[in-house]
Amino acid sequence: MSSELSANDRAKNAAARRAADFVKDGMRVGLGTGSTAAWLVKCLGERVRDNGLKFRGVPTSTRTAELAREVGIEVITLDEAGWLDVTIDGADEFDGDFNLIKGGGGALLQEKIVATASDKMVVITDPAKEVASLGKFPLPVEVIPFGMRTTKTLIEDALGSMDVSGRDVTLRMNGDAPYVTDEGNHILDLHLGRIGNARQMALTLNQLPGVVENGLFIDVCDVVVIGHSDGTVDLRDITSTMAKQARPSTEKNENLFTDLDG
């Protein structure tokens, strides 16, 4: 089976299988949306069928809900779950601080709500999604249909003062008609090239009238699982990463207080 997959699908499958290990009996689990998340749902379905795994899943889109039911996963709503043990989802981009761009699949609003309502968010991805600075992938912004042109203008004006490389804003289409989210909204894709300050961008966008939510996931992700085409997997945990970044260098002098002598 794996030999018949493309290199990209082998990487996604490897990441999904490793991330499935985070799901234990009795858990309430957020199930992401997109091609990589679909691999996860199928892997979990196998464990439900073959190993008797018992958990309840909260899908982040109608597409994911349909797939989860097909593979035998018990599906509940977020209101029924109350709070989640873990959410596992894909990402369009991630940086060294575990900040993400999501929403390429059009489900960013439900994805962000579900991820935020979880004790842990695990992102499954491949090496091509890692970037030094977010923004190469167009940033999705969900907007209400009413006054959408005005909202688009407000976004364009706001981008004028932001540290970005591009400022093109396009309406996402589904054939000849605007793409419609599960909540009945539309998506504007911001082609920025590079986002100098992702946190500022997220806050600014969500203050604009007509904007429902944006695809920047800041301080949400806890673990990144990176699958490779050869079946190997890298696992990065935000706790250990932050510890490494904060650890002072003592190569030159083991006594950190030497220079503090009066």
Side-chain angles (χ1 to χ4, degrees):
M1 170 71 176
S2 59
S3 61
E4 300 174 0
L5 300 176
S6 67
N8 194 33
D9 282 342
R10 288 198 300 272
K12 293 178 180 180
N13 184 36
R17 290 193 177 279
R18 175 62 183 86
D21 293 339
F22 285 92
V23 180
K24 309 298 181 183
D25 278 333
M27 279 188 169
R28 295 159 294 181
V29 180
L31 303 174
T33 295
S35 60
T36 307
W39 282 104
L40 169 78
V41 174
K42 293 174 183 177
C43 290
L44 290 173
E46 290 178 10
R47 292 183 58 190
V48 168
R49 183 187 67 240
D50 300 337
N51 305 115
L53 177 66
K54 296 183 183 299
F55 75 96
R56 293 178 292 172
V58 175
T60 54
S61 67
T62 54
R63 301 192 305 279
T64 298
E66 291 170 358
L67 178 59
R69 292 189 180 99
E70 286 177 10
V71 299
I73 295 173
E74 180 184 354
V75 171
I76 60 174
T77 67
L78 181 58
D79 286 337
E80 290 172 328
W83 193 261
L84 305 177
D85 298 287
V86 63
T87 286
I88 307 177
D89 203 348
D92 299 305
E93 282 186 349
F94 71 97
D95 66 15
D97 294 323
F98 288 34
N99 295 318
L100 320 170
I101 285 183
K102 289 179 51 55
L108 65 98
L109 178 56
Q110 289 190 25
E111 288 174 335
K112 187 173 284 191
I113 293 172
V114 169
T116 305
S118 305
D119 287 336
K120 176 180 291 187
M121 182 190 188
V122 177
V123 165
I124 46 180
T125 184
D126 60 80
K129 304 294 179 59
E130 184 171 12
V131 295
S133 179
L134 297 177
K136 183 177 180 181
F137 190 91
L139 173 63
V141 178
E142 185 161 339
V143 300
I144 66 171
F146 176 81
M148 184 174 61
R149 290 186 179 179
T150 300
T151 303
K152 181 174 180 289
T153 299
L154 290 173
I155 292 174
E156 291 169 339
D157 290 345
L159 292 178
S161 60
M162 305 294 286
D163 181 13
V164 295
S165 297
R167 294 179 172 83
D168 188 28
V169 179
T170 60
L171 174 64
R172 186 177 299 186
M173 303 296 290
N174 183 14
D176 296 330
Y179 178 87
V180 179
T181 69
D182 280 354
E183 290 75 32
N185 298 317
H186 298 318
I187 290 181
L188 296 174
D189 287 312
L190 281 53
H191 303 265
L192 307 175
R194 179 191 57 82
I195 301 173
N197 188 329
R199 188 182 304 275
Q200 179 191 31
M201 173 73 69
L203 292 173
T204 299
L205 288 173
N206 280 5
Q207 291 176 353
L208 300 177
V211 171
V212 180
E213 189 54 82
N214 69 85
L216 285 166
F217 283 51
I218 310 297
D219 299 334
V220 177
C221 175
D222 299 289
V223 177
V224 176
V225 181
I226 306 170
H228 300 272
S229 59
D230 62 358
T232 59
V233 172
D234 295 330
L235 190 149
R236 302 181 192 174
D237 187 286
I238 186 66
T239 304
S240 58
T241 299
M242 291 175 65
K244 289 180 181 178
Q245 292 174 346
R247 187 178 300 129
S249 173
T250 59
E251 291 181 0
K252 293 183 179 180
N253 194 323
E254 292 296 334
N255 186 353
L256 299 179
F257 303 98
T258 299
D259 295 333
L260 298 182
D261 292 339

